[in-house]
């Protein structure tokens, strides 16, 4: 079984921080099925879209589904501190827990660690999200990681996008940062205004991952690769695979069908005075909130049910008390 960031793992798979839905039910079921490492959704000190308390922003958008693949957008940095704290506190068992963060500055990173360091086994720094947040280059992120290595007692993990690897000297980056391990993801993050997106595509990912073998030979730290759950043949050659949001869809038994939606330039605001109303036959809530027809209480407006159910089964509605 693989080692990763100083830990001997009990299996060769886990869940990555590319799943931006903080569902304890998902994690605990994955651990029961044999996952040996779980990463939290990536957090930052303040959700870039959280300034107006009346509005919530979905974290999930289905762009296309067909028998040949899925394309999904998720919203990084959208989880609250309370959600991540709850997730880490409730996740038990023989599993390595990694807190994933991105930070504008070293003081932001320290503030996050002050809250979570005692709840996790290791810390992942998402380099590409840190570059977008700080509007500075990779060298700044590496400097930030080096400072965290010097001040934190936890193993540090660098997360990088696969498409940027050809532009980077990976051996130098890992040596300079002092990081203990590397996570490579094929899923691209980008930003439009204050809106952050992560693009998951089953059409792009296998091709991106195929070209990685030679590049990863440059590093002498442990490596995990973010993969999609249905590409089983390709996965056999990867020593440690951590699944992206496609695992969530498989777990919810979403079959895909055939759909195409427009790619948004921003996340649609949802007025939180509106309630999610589920009709008979509705499903696909990663938090297990949809059990029968009616108003959903305790909803965080992640948007999964609104995207995956057939039209009309789940709606946002206003309710007036008489
Ligand atoms: S009811 Fe829908 S929007 Fe609310 S948490 Fe569940 S899936 Fe997300």
């Amino acid at each position: 079984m693989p080692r990763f960031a100083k830990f001997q793992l009990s299996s060769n798979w886990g869940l990555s921080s590319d799943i931006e839905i903080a569902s304890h039910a998902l994690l605990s079921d994955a651990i029961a099925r044999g996952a040996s490492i779980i990463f939290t959704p990536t957090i930052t000190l303040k959700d870039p879209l959280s300034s107006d308390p009346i509005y919530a922003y979905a974290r999930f958008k289905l762009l296309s589904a067909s028998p040949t693949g899925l394309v999904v957008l998720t919203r990084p940095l959208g989880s609250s501190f309370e959600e991540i704290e709850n997730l880490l506190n409730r996740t038990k068992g023989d599993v390595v827990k990694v807190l994933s963060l991105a930070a504008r500055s070293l003081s932001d990173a320290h503030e996050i660690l002050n809250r979570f360091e005692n709840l996790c086994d290791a810390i992942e720094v998402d380099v590409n999200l840190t570059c977008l947040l700080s509007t500075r280059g990779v060298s700044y992120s590496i400097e930030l990681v080096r400072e965290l290595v010097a001040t934190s007692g936890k193993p540090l993990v660098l997360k990088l996008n696969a498409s940027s690897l050809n532009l980077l000297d990976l051996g130098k980056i890992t040596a300079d940062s002092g990081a203990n391990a590397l996570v490579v993801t094929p899923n691209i993050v980008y930003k439009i205004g204050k809106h952050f997106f992560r693009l998951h595509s089953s059409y792009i990912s296998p091709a991106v991952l195929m070209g990685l073998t030679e590049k990863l030979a440059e590093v002498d730290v442990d490596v995990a690769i973010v993969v999609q759950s249905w590409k089983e043949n390709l996965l056999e050659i990867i020593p440690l695979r951590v699944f992206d949001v496609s695992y969530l869809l498989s777990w919810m038994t979403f079959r895909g069908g055939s759909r195409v939606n427009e790619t948004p330039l921003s996340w649609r605001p949802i007025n939180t005075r509106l309630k999610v109303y589920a009709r008979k036959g509705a499903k696909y809530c990663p938090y297990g909130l949809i059990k029968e027809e009616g108003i959903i209480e305790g909803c965080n407006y992640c948007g999964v049910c609104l995207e995956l159910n057939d039209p009309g089964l789940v709606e946002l509605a206003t309710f007036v008390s008489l």
Side-chain angles (χ1 to χ4, degrees), residues 276 284-287 289-290 296 298-306 314:
V276 171
Y284 305 129
C285 174
Y287 303 94
L289 299 178
I290 300 178
I296 305 300
C299 171
N300 69 5
Y301 302 94
C302 73
V304 171
C305 63
L306 295 162
V314 175

